[in-house]
Structures are given as structure tokens and as C-alpha cells.
């Protein structure tokens, strides 16, 4: 069971699989393209963002080395995967 700390006011819920754009290009080196990442929502952080935005904690799927990343992302930057 995942923790649920927020008010549940968003359109998404804990356990949903989502996608988002991660990273950005390095202008000097002309490399490092942003990529779409798949993750699972692990926590509802509530409306603690700027202007009351809904924030979600997400954990990425493991990469080829088994590593994952946890981030807190506003709902408006997430899409259902």
C-alpha cells in the first residue's frame, strides 16, 4: 500500500502509471535530448505547489542497470501512460 498524504483533489491517483519529459538539451554541447520517462505514482503530496498545484511523488521504472529515480512533479506535467 502506498502512502496517501494529500487531499486527493487531483485527477490521478496513487498507483497510476504516468509519463513525463525528463532532462533537457545542453545548448553548448548540442547534446542531452529530453526523453519521455514512464513512472508510477507512489504518493499524493497534495496541493503544496505554487498556486495550489497538485504535486505527486513518482518513481521511474528501472533502467537497464536496475536504477530508479524518485521525483516530485506537478500534475500538469504528467500524462497517463
Amino acid at each position: 500500500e502506498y502512502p496517501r498524504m494529500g487531499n486527493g483533489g487531483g485527477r490521478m491517483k496513487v498507483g497510476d502509471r504516468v509519463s513525463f519529459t525528463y532532462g533537457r538539451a545542453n545548448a553548448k554541447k548540442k547534446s542531452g535530448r529530453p526523453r519521455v520517462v514512464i513512472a508510477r505514482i507512489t504518493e499524493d503530496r497534495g496541493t503544496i505547489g505554487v498556486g495550489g498545484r497538485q504535486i505527486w511523488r513518482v518513481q521511474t521504472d528501472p533502467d537497464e542497470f536496475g536504477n530508479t529515480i524518485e521525483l516530485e512533479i506537478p500534475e500538469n506535467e504528467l500524462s497517463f501512460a
Side-chain angles (χ1 to χ4, degrees), residues 57-68:
R57 178 180 292 273
V58 300
Q59 183 175 27
T60 62
D61 288 349
D63 64 13
E64 64 268 20
F65 305 107
N67 300 317
T68 62

Side-chain angles (χ1 to χ4, degrees), residues 24-80:
R24 63 180 187 186
N26 182 327
K28 284 186 178 182
K29 295 182 181 178
K30 306 229 187 277
S31 64
R33 294 193 176 121
R35 60 189 174 114
V36 174
V37 176
I38 305 295
R40 183 170 308 277
I41 295 176
T42 59
E43 185 179 346
D44 176 351
R45 299 287 288 140
T47 53
I48 61 172
V50 175
R53 291 193 306 175
Q54 177 72 34
I55 303 295
W56 297 99
R57 178 180 292 273
V58 300
Q59 183 175 27
T60 62
D61 288 349
D63 64 13
E64 64 268 20
F65 305 107
N67 300 317
T68 62
I69 299 171
E70 284 195 54
L71 303 163
E72 292 185 357
I73 302 179
E75 183 173 81
N76 65 322
E77 294 181 22
L78 297 172
S79 299
F80 287 104

